[in-house]
Amino acid sequence: MTSRFREQLEEALYPPLVALLVALICGDLLIMSYGQSPATVYRLLLEGTWGNAYGLGQVLYKATTLIFTGLAVSIGIRAGLFNVGAESQLAAGAFLAAMMGLVLSPAIPWIVAIPLCMFAAAVGGGIVGAVPGFLKVRFGAHEVIVTIMLNFIVLALLNWIIANHLHVPETLHTPAIEAGSISRLDSFIPAFHGSAANLSIVVALIAAAGVWYFLFRSRGGFELRAVGLQPDAAEYGGVNVGRTWFRTLALSGVLAGLGGINYVLGYKHYYEDGLAGGAGFLGIAVALVGRNHPLGVVLAALFFATLSQGGLAIHAFVPKQMVEVLQGVVILAVAMSVPEVRRVLRLTRKPAAA
């Protein structure tokens, strides 16, 4: 292991570990404030998630969507962009995937129907992601403001379409899709029976591997990272900064949109108003804790999915909202620990370098 690689590894791992330690201490204090034992609550949390097949299946299901939204946010941050619109991009992708599933004939083979639905999801998220990219490049509009506003516009538009034109009576969801369903994991592993885990997680892992290859093994990824580090220098080196920003936001939207297949194709088999359930916003936390690296995003998604599912298991002892507080603590701790841990690491290295 070279010293350079070791330094990069330390700077990648230590901040989230410090953040998790801070969150653990805060969690202990919160649990004790309710008169409960932290050891008992954490044991129940683990038993309700990784300790049984159903809980593990639910963790995998929730992690799948978070992997997509975390990748969407992280690839934007790599380019110096902050995509806050994963919530609406996820919903748009899920909506178009459901529309494609409704239009296709049930006679179409799954090997054709599923890719078509996935393509529709990618297009839906990509279009919503491309809008802030175009406005930023063409008019200099800040992507944070545009993506926040698009969340309201897109979600309200989809709500209007469903409520007025496509809903099943007495519900806020579309009819069930005719083609494009993705198998659940219990079809292959009976122990997962009852959980919503499905093969969308395979697509999520492939997407993570693809993002890693793109970022670190392709020219486009190199240009994206160069623009994120120093756009003026990248432009001086011949990189088209505006085009890179547009492509990045569109790709970010594609990734978030693909997250919609987890719910529509793999779980409920229809689009339902409010299905995103905050997964787009939580993708920001996943990207930050995962240090914007695809592998880190996958691990962070599993962590937040464990907290989310574990909150149901410990509800009898402490309020479920405590888990949401812990999520906030982790995000704040990561934001504060990154510069501080890096400063400490550099201070400890100076004597060795001298």
Side-chain angles (χ1 to χ4, degrees):
M1 181 184 295
T2 65
S3 59
R4 177 61 180 162
F5 179 74
R6 187 175 64 249
E7 290 174 3
Q8 290 178 336
L9 193 63
E10 289 174 348
E11 292 190 7
L13 292 179
Y14 285 175
L17 290 178
V18 170
L20 293 179
L21 181 61
V22 171
L24 190 64
I25 294 172
C26 291
D28 288 349
L29 295 175
L30 285 171
I31 292 168
M32 286 190 290
S33 71
Y34 283 95
Q36 301 294 338
S37 165
T40 302
V41 172
Y42 287 133
R43 179 176 57 79
L44 288 173
L45 189 147
L46 290 175
E47 287 178 355
T49 52
W50 295 81
N52 65 83
Y54 172 79
L56 177 59
Q58 287 300 100
V59 169
L60 295 178
Y61 167 72
K62 293 181 178 181
T64 301
T65 306
L66 294 179
I67 291 173
F68 281 114
T69 56
L71 290 172
V73 176
S74 66
I75 201 169
I77 295 177
R78 285 278 182 180
L81 303 167
F82 198 40
N83 177 16
V84 195
E87 189 82 359
S88 57
Q89 293 154 11
L90 170 66
F95 178 76
L96 284 195
M99 293 301 100
M100 182 63 77
L102 285 172
V103 169
L104 293 177
S105 165
I108 294 179
W110 64 267
I111 200 169
V112 176
I114 291 176
L116 285 174
C117 291
M118 290 173 56
F119 177 74
V123 170
I127 291 174
V128 178
V131 171
F134 171 77
L135 295 177
K136 182 177 181 65
V137 175
R138 182 68 178 84
F139 303 106
H142 201 288
E143 76 278 2
V144 172
I145 304 299
V146 177
T147 51
I148 289 175
M149 293 297 104
L150 275 178
N151 280 336
F152 292 105
I153 295 170
V154 172
L155 294 177
L157 177 63
L158 293 178
N159 173 272
W160 178 79
I161 294 173
I162 296 299
N164 291 280
H165 300 287
L166 291 174
H167 72 284
V168 173
E170 308 300 326
T171 73
L172 276 177
H173 65 73
T174 66
I177 59 176
E178 300 289 338
S181 299
I182 294 178
S183 300
R184 292 196 183 186
L185 290 186
D186 61 10
S187 301
F188 312 95
I189 307 174
F192 284 125
H193 178 71
S195 75
N198 58 80
L199 288 179
S200 296
I201 192 167
V202 177
V203 182
L205 295 176
I206 293 174
V211 169
W212 175 85
Y213 183 86
F214 172 72
L215 283 176
F216 302 109
R217 290 293 184 272
S218 73
R219 178 174 178 174
F222 175 79
E223 291 179 351
L224 184 151
R225 288 185 291 127
V227 169
L229 290 171
Q230 181 47 263
D232 292 336
E235 188 170 27
Y236 184 76
V239 178
N240 188 323
V241 175
R243 186 171 59 191
T244 302
W245 279 340
F246 176 78
R247 287 178 175 176
T248 300
L249 283 170
L251 178 58
S252 181
V254 166
L255 289 167
L258 278 172
I261 67 171
N262 187 38
Y263 187 93
V264 172
L265 305 185
Y267 180 31
K268 291 289 189 179
H269 300 155
Y270 53 70
Y271 176 88
E272 185 173 27
D273 187 46
L275 68 83
F281 296 119
L282 197 54
I284 298 172
V286 171
L288 291 175
V289 174
R291 306 289 293 121
N292 304 315
H293 190 286
L295 177 59
V297 166
V298 172
L299 296 177
L302 288 170
F303 171 73
F304 280 104
T306 300
L307 283 183
S308 176
Q309 180 64 22
L312 302 175
I314 63 176
H315 183 55
F317 290 83
V318 293
K320 181 178 178 292
Q321 288 73 14
M322 193 199 77
V323 172
E324 297 171 3
V325 173
L326 281 181
Q327 291 174 348
V329 171
V330 172
I331 297 168
L332 289 174
V334 168
M336 292 186 293
S337 65
V338 169
E340 187 62 22
V341 171
R342 282 181 174 174
R343 186 184 67 81
V344 172
L345 286 174
R346 285 166 186 167
L347 283 175
T348 57
R349 288 169 189 155
K350 279 184 178 178

